[in-house]
């Protein structure tokens, strides 16, 4: 099995496009469009990388990011947002609090080349070290 990517976004069309691109790069993907289910899927799937939309209904990406970091499972993070720029500093603070590397940021709408660059950068590390 190749490196794993969990894609969490309430937009099912976006998660499908991201999954197709990631699979083209050789990644194994899972898509979650319900943020309330995402932490359980994360724990079961244990991905090397997770892509999280910051603005979702019921549970925002900041809360999900904190839950993921609290698991202690090593993962790298891509944060996406179309209108949540004010949440980006808070997300970086959550990562710093947990001793994780800064996330890769993708501003929506992003181009395929930007997604490929982010996924390649995020998953190019040989070891599964903490984010």
């Amino acid at each position: 099995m190749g490196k794993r990517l969990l894609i969490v976004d309430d937009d099912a069309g976006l998660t499908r496009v991201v999954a197709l691109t990631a699979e083209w790069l050789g990644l194994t993907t899972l898509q979650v469009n319900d943020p309330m289910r995402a932490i359980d899927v994360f724990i079961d799937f244990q991905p090397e990388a997770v892509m999280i939309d910051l603005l979702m209904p019921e549970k925002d990406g900041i809360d999900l990011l904190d839950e993921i970091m609290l698991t202690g499972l090593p993962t790298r993070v891509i944060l996406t947002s179309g209108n949540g720029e004010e949440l980006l500093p808070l997300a970086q603070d959550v990562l710093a609090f947990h001793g994780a590397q800064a996330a890769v940021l993708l501003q929506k709408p992003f181009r395929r080349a930007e997604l490929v660059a982010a996924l390649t950068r995020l998953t190019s590390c040989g070891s599964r070290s903490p984010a």
Side-chain angles (χ1 to χ4, degrees):
M1 176 186 284
K3 291 188 177 183
R4 295 172 302 277
L5 171 69
L6 177 63
I7 307 155
V8 183
D9 196 305
D10 56 306
D11 181 341
L14 179 76
T15 59
R16 278 192 301 275
V17 168
V18 170
L20 287 171
T21 302
E23 290 164 5
W24 177 76
L25 291 169
L27 300 171
T28 300
T29 66
L30 270 182
Q31 306 164 49
V32 177
N33 300 115
D34 177 1
M36 301 302 286
R37 291 188 40 240
I39 192 65
D40 292 331
V41 174
F42 175 82
I43 291 168
D44 290 342
F45 191 49
Q46 296 191 20
E48 282 81 6
V50 61
M51 183 174 187
I52 304 170
D53 183 20
L54 288 176
L55 292 176
M56 295 182 286
E58 298 175 17
K59 182 186 290 190
D60 67 33
I62 299 296
D63 290 337
L64 179 57
L65 178 62
D66 189 48
E67 289 177 3
I68 285 171
M69 292 293 109
L70 285 170
T71 68
L73 295 171
T75 194
R76 298 186 182 284
V77 179
I78 297 175
L79 298 174
T80 65
S81 177
N83 296 312
E85 295 79 23
E86 67 280 354
L87 295 176
L88 293 176
L90 182 56
Q92 296 294 17
D93 288 346
V94 168
L95 290 166
F97 176 79
H98 290 286
Q101 290 178 1
V104 172
L105 307 174
L106 275 178
Q107 184 69 33
K108 291 180 183 178
F110 46 83
R111 297 184 181 278
R112 184 175 187 273
E114 294 170 309
L115 176 60
V116 167
L119 291 172
T120 301
R121 175 178 158 211
L122 207 65
T123 60
S124 65
C125 298
S127 67
R128 190 179 156 145
S129 60

